[in-house]
Amino acid sequence: YHYSDNEFEFWMGKLLMSDYGVVILSHLDEKQAIENKSTVTKIIPSLATRARRIIEKKVAIITWLKRERVRKAGAALAYEEKLVLITKQSVEVAAGDWTGMMPDKLILDTIPEGIQRTDAIVEEYAKRNYALIESYIKGNVKKEDTSSTSS
C-alpha cells in the first residue's frame, strides 16, 4: 500500500498545486464517537481512511452543506429553509477552515419554493453562491462580517 499511497499523494499534490481551484465532493458517514463519557454521532466525509488522511493534510477548507431553518429577514417569527455551509469543527461535524477567512456558518442563496428549477435558474444561484464564497476567500468580505447573510 505504501507505493500506491505515495503515487496517490504525488498526483493529488500536482492537482492541488495547479492553477485550477479544486473542489472535492464526498458523501458523508456517521460514526459513533465518545465525548465526555457520552456517545455522539460525528459526521465525516465518506472517503476511504487512507485517502482521507492524505487529502486532509493538503486542503485549506472542509465544509459541510446542510439544510437549516433560519429566520426570515425582517420577520420576528417567520422561518424559511436555507442551505448552510458549515466550516467550524465540532463534536458532531468534521469540518474546518485553516485559512481563517470563512465564517463558521454561511447561509447560501436558495432557490425559493415556487420557482421552477431550470438549468438557467440553477446556474444563476450556483454563480451567486460561488461569488459569495469567493468574496471571503479573496478577502473582500471579512470573517467578522458574518452577521450579514445573502437573500
Side-chain angles (χ1 to χ4, degrees):
Y1 293 115
H2 177 71
Y3 292 114
S4 62
D5 287 353
N6 286 344
E7 192 73 8
F8 179 74
E9 188 166 8
F10 173 78
W11 287 108
M12 282 303 300
K14 293 266 260 188
L15 177 64
L16 294 170
M17 295 302 291
S18 70
D19 291 336
Y20 302 102
V22 178
V23 175
I24 302 170
L25 300 176
S26 173
H27 291 279
L28 62 89
D29 279 338
E30 294 180 350
K31 301 280 183 183
Q32 299 298 315
I34 297 180
E35 279 290 323
N36 298 328
K37 298 183 181 180
S38 62
T39 303
V40 296
T41 301
K42 185 158 187 116
I43 298 169
I44 62 170
S46 64
L47 293 169
T49 302
R50 289 177 33 238
R52 187 170 4 111
R53 285 185 188 141
I54 291 169
I55 291 171
E56 284 180 345
K57 295 186 295 188
K58 298 184 178 305
V59 298
I61 300 171
I62 296 175
T63 65
W64 181 50
L65 183 66
K66 70 175 197 168
R67 292 192 171 278
E68 189 174 286
R69 286 176 40 117
V70 297
R71 185 172 287 144
K72 282 187 176 183
L77 299 174
Y79 291 86
E80 60 188 335
E81 194 170 270
K82 290 280 196 171
L83 289 174
V84 178
L85 204 59
I86 306 293
T87 63
K88 183 177 182 179
Q89 178 80 16
S90 71
V91 173
E92 295 88 15
V93 178
D97 170 25
W98 294 271
T99 68
M101 300 177 99
M102 295 294 292
D104 296 344
K105 185 186 277 192
L106 184 62
I107 299 172
L108 302 177
D109 276 341
T110 307
I111 300 171
E113 287 186 35
I115 293 186
Q116 186 178 3
R117 291 178 172 355
T118 64
D119 289 345
I121 293 292
V122 170
E123 185 173 346
E124 175 190 335
Y125 278 82
K127 285 180 179 179
R128 284 187 200 176
N129 288 323
Y130 179 84
L132 179 63
I133 294 165
E134 183 181 45
S135 67
Y136 283 95
I137 299 296
K138 290 189 171 183
N140 298 336
V141 176
K142 300 292 183 214
K143 185 175 181 176
E144 295 78 38
D145 296 341
T146 58
S147 59
S148 63
T149 59
S150 57
S151 56

